[in-house]
């Protein structure tokens, strides 16, 4: 195997961005993927990036500034964020977007109307524009590599962008059947595949080489510098030199039970990411002497376990489902415990609330409760289409009392909770948890209401009633080796480890526990991938 200047471990958006950037800087680059499929968690995602002050906001009439974005992010910090890293992110983000548009053909565009996840905070944007995405991408351009990309279990129609789905209060323009057929004929994919497919094409055009089924297990060091990698492959172990450096982009550790128990500050029972995210990069960085950070945090996502055969993971992300009118979430006491329309990362905090009397989690187990009119209007998870027939695995109950008995929760509590919610919902208010007050809440819910609080507030009054068990899940973990503003991994004394970089979920996220807006995972992944690729060739 030939030597390379730069070795990138992981083929998600962070690794691909680092690779195309380093190649554009004149380096010989190779990307190594431990799975037999490329794309990682990024390809399972919606493919959106949260990049404040990006160059495409003006195209939709949105103004933004570095100062506003910095004020917004630091207002969410709770004193934990490293402002130097936040500023590095804000400075490099717009530059990265222009670079990828030019060198990788990403063709990013700003998504209108999608608000930040905490838009009422200082510097927040209730009118959107900070979220960007790519148009659909024809995988037929990739030849034999097209079949080597992973397929998401969560979005059954791969031929749509995120903006073409029915998420949010903005009703998308329908894609005609003939256009869907045309896209399918040319293997044109949207969302995460559109992003990683375009980045991969950019890498190949820049001369980047790719290897699958190469699991990195050890970082090699020469004279104090990371100088290569040892791999496990189907043909045995190999070692490879990296003349300029190694970029860790191997994803999180959410599928490593030992690491989850050691580091996370609450239950994580249902990750929704690829099972290959077992902390390989984290372990290698620890052995290399890296200082760790943000280890207690994850990109939290409420999740539901589904019967076998519904999708490849037998689980679903609970996003829009819990935000729509005629639904609530209750705990084992039969009571609401949070604003159901809050962003999914923030909502995950409710699962880490303790009942100090029972010495147990206060809000697990919990359930998404909805009525038959909800089912008729919106369908349910899976996804199950709107209509009068529920999924075969979802029983209906004629009364709330019968539902409570089935769940094992106090019937009087559940009935009282629903009655109170219904009375308030009829007035378009939620004095208990303020659901519907934020522009973020109003963006989700029923698109027919176009941002009115009643899109997320509506009574549960039409039997039968249904319940879906909701678990503590995550898109990935967000702790790992600490980095500096060039994405260099830092040692225990805060000094850079020569030749070692990190980007994506393998690194300690500069955003600590927060999530700025839609694309808040891929934004820092790609920006710090860009910074790593730029510095390793400087």
């Amino acid at each position: 195997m030939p030597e390379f200047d730069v070795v990138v471990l992981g083929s998600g958006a962070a690794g691909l961005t680092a690779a195309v950037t380093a190649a554009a800087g004149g380096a010989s680059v190779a990307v190594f993927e431990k799975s037999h499929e490329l794309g990682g968690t990024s390809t399972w995602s919606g493919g959106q990036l949260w990049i404040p002050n990006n160059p495409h906001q003006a195209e939709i009439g949105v103004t933004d500034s570095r100062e506003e974005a910095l004020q917004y992010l630091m207002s969410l910090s709770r004193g934990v964020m490293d402002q130097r890293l936040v500023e590095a992110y804000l400075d490099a983000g717009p530059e990265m977007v222009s670079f990828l548009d030019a060198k990788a053909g990403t063709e990013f565009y700003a998504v209108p109307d999608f608000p930040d996840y905490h838009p009422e905070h200082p510097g927040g944007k209730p009118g959107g524009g900070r979220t960007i995405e790519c148009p659909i991408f024809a995988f037929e351009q990739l030849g034999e590599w097209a079949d080597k990309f992973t397929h998401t279990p969560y979005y059954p129609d791969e031929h749509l962008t995120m903006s073409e789905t029915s998420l949010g209060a903005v009703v998308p323009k329908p894609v005609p059947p003939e256009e869907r057929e045309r896209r399918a004929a040319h293997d044109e994919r949207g969302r995460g595949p559109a992003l990683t497919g375009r980045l991969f094409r950019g890498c190949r055009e820049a001369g980047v080489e790719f290897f699958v089924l190469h699991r990195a297990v050890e970082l090699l060091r020469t004279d104090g510098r990371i100088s290569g990698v040892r791999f496990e492959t189907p043909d045995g172990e190999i070692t490879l030199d990296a003349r300029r450096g190694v970029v860790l982009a191997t994803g999180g550790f959410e599928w490593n039970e030992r690491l989850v128990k050691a580091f996370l500050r609450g239950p994580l029972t249902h990750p929704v990411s690829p099972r290959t995210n077992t902390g390989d990069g984290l372990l290698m960085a620890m052995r290399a002497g890296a200082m760790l950070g943000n280890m207690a945090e994850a990109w939290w996502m409420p999740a539901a376990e589904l019967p076998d055969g519904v999708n490849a993971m037998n689980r679903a992300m609970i996003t829009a489902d819990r935000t729509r009118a005629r639904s609530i979430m209750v705990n084992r006491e039969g009571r609401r415990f949070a604003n159901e329309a809050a962003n999914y990362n923030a909502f995950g905090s409710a699962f880490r609330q303790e009942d100090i009397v029972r010495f147990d989690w206060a809000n697990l187990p919990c359930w998404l409760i909805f009525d038959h009119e909800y089912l008729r209007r919106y369908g349910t998870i899976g996804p199950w289409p709107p209509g009068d027939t529920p999924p075969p695995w979802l029983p209906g109950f004629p009364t709330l009392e019968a539902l409570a008995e089935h769940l094992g929760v106090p019937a009087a509590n559940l009935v009282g909770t629903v009655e109170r919610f219904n009375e308030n919902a009829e007035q378009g208010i939620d004095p208990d948890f303020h659901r519907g007050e934020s522009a973020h809440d109003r963006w989700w819910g029923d698109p027919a209401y176009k941002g009115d609080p009643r899109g997320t507030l509506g009574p549960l009054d039409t039997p039968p009633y249904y319940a879906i068990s909701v678990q503590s899940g995550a898109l990935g973990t967000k702790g790992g080796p600490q980095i500096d503003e060039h994405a260099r991994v830092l040692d225990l004394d805060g000094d850079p480890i020569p030749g070692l970089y990190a980007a994506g979920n393998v690194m300690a996220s500069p955003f600590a526990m927060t999530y700025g807006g839609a694309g808040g995972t891929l934004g820092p992944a790609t920006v710090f991938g860009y910074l790593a690729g730029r510095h390793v060739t400087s």
Side-chain angles (χ1 to χ4, degrees):
M1 181 177 289
E3 294 182 354
F4 298 94
D5 293 327
V6 180
V7 169
V8 178
L9 306 179
S11 63
L16 294 174
T17 301
V20 72
T21 307
S28 61
V29 183
V31 175
F32 293 85
E33 170 58 53
K34 84 183 237 188
S35 173
H36 68 285
E37 294 179 310
L38 297 169
T41 308
S42 303
T43 304
W44 282 22
S45 76
Q48 296 180 325
L49 283 64
W50 189 76
I51 308 291
N53 201 29
N54 69 74
H56 297 293
Q57 285 176 285
E59 298 165 10
I60 60 170
V62 173
T63 59
D64 199 0
S65 69
R66 178 189 189 275
E67 292 71 28
E68 288 177 286
L70 180 61
Q71 182 185 33
Y72 172 65
L73 286 171
M74 297 312 295
S75 78
L76 303 172
S77 169
R78 299 181 188 170
V80 176
M81 292 186 196
D82 184 338
Q83 186 165 326
R84 293 174 304 168
L85 294 181
V86 174
E87 291 181 349
Y89 171 78
L90 295 176
D91 290 337
E95 180 181 318
M96 180 208 70
V97 172
S98 297
F99 172 84
L100 292 181
D101 282 345
K103 298 296 185 180
T106 43
E107 300 182 52
F108 287 122
Y109 57 88
V111 179
D113 303 313
F114 204 155
D116 289 340
Y117 280 178
H118 301 275
E120 284 71 41
H121 274 244
K125 290 289 180 184
R130 288 174 171 167
T131 296
I132 60 174
E133 66 182 1
C134 298
I136 55 173
F137 174 70
F139 270 71
E140 66 177 8
Q141 299 179 39
L142 304 184
E144 63 180 12
W145 288 99
D147 294 331
K148 296 185 184 296
F149 275 78
T150 185
H151 295 270
T152 176
Y154 303 118
Y155 302 117
D157 190 341
E158 285 192 314
H159 309 300
L160 299 176
T161 67
M162 203 66 179
S163 293
E164 290 173 335
T165 68
S166 58
L167 294 178
V170 178
V171 181
K173 183 179 180 180
V175 179
E178 58 273 16
E179 171 61 11
R180 293 192 184 211
E181 292 176 7
R182 188 200 64 76
R183 293 182 184 185
H186 295 280
D187 197 11
E188 295 182 354
R189 308 178 199 174
R191 303 187 182 95
L195 174 64
T196 54
R198 287 170 182 272
L199 292 174
F200 177 84
R201 179 188 62 182
C203 286
R204 293 290 291 170
E205 291 176 348
V208 177
E209 296 191 40
F210 285 80
F211 301 87
V212 296
L213 294 174
H214 280 63
R215 181 189 181 194
V217 294
E218 183 183 3
L219 298 170
L220 307 178
R221 195 190 300 258
T222 303
D223 298 328
R225 180 181 183 84
I226 300 302
S227 57
V229 183
R230 181 168 64 88
F231 293 93
E232 292 177 350
T233 80
D235 299 320
E237 287 192 356
I238 65 169
T239 59
L240 182 68
D241 290 339
R243 288 185 289 259
R244 298 195 185 184
V246 174
V247 180
L248 299 175
T250 53
F253 59 87
E254 62 271 13
W255 285 99
N256 186 319
E257 185 177 356
R258 182 168 66 98
L259 294 177
V260 166
K261 287 182 178 179
F263 290 118
L264 290 187
R265 65 184 176 96
L268 172 55
T269 57
H270 287 69
V272 295
S273 60
R275 298 177 187 272
T276 49
N277 292 336
T278 54
D280 294 1
L282 170 63
L283 293 171
M284 286 186 286
M286 292 169 69
R287 294 187 184 107
M291 180 63 184
L292 305 183
N294 212 45
M295 294 301 297
E297 292 297 338
W299 304 103
W300 302 106
M301 169 63 73
E305 188 167 357
L306 301 177
D308 290 347
V310 175
N311 62 37
M313 293 291 289
N314 296 328
R315 57 191 59 178
M317 297 179 285
I318 307 298
T319 52
D321 309 88
R322 60 187 165 77
T323 71
R324 294 177 178 133
R326 313 185 78 90
S327 70
I328 59 172
M329 289 182 67
V330 301
N331 58 20
R332 76 180 88 203
E333 296 297 327
R335 294 191 172 100
R336 295 177 65 214
F337 55 91
N339 171 5
E340 296 90 345
N343 76 77
Y344 41 84
N345 182 68
F347 194 90
S349 297
F351 295 146
R352 299 189 296 280
Q353 181 179 336
E354 292 195 50
D355 182 332
I356 59 174
V357 175
R358 288 179 169 157
F359 198 61
D360 202 354
W361 303 113
N363 299 318
L364 287 172
C366 68
W367 296 268
L368 173 66
I369 309 291
F370 54 95
D371 70 357
H372 193 71
E373 184 59 28
Y374 175 106
L375 182 75
R376 183 181 293 123
R377 294 183 187 183
Y378 314 123
T380 189
I381 63 172
W384 191 261
D388 283 307
T389 305
W393 46 266
L394 183 65
F397 296 86
T399 64
L400 290 169
E401 289 85 354
L403 176 62
E405 182 179 1
H406 172 73
L407 299 179
V409 306
N413 289 356
L414 180 61
V415 171
T417 294
V418 172
E419 287 178 348
R420 176 169 173 80
F421 180 79
N422 288 355
E423 291 173 2
N424 290 322
E426 291 287 0
Q427 303 175 58
I429 60 172
D430 176 23
D432 297 326
F433 296 102
H434 308 286
R435 178 170 162 183
E437 293 180 12
S438 171
H440 171 271
D441 299 3
R442 296 192 297 272
W443 188 87
W444 292 90
D446 189 334
Y449 287 86
K450 296 185 178 180
D452 186 283
R454 288 175 176 81
T456 189
L457 295 172
L460 290 75
D461 58 10
T462 307
Y465 299 97
Y466 306 92
I468 293 174
S469 178
V470 180
Q471 315 292 340
S472 180
L475 303 171
T477 52
K478 57 191 300 191
Q482 292 185 7
I483 58 169
D484 68 6
E485 60 271 24
H486 303 295
R488 295 180 294 184
V489 173
L490 303 178
D491 66 15
L492 299 181
D493 296 315
D495 298 320
I497 298 176
L500 186 59
Y501 300 80
N505 287 353
V506 71
M507 72 179 182
S509 173
F511 290 166
M513 77 293 291
T514 64
Y515 203 126
T521 57
L522 288 176
T526 52
V527 169
F528 283 93
Y530 170 73
L531 289 170
R534 188 175 69 180
H535 189 271
V536 75
T537 55
S538 62

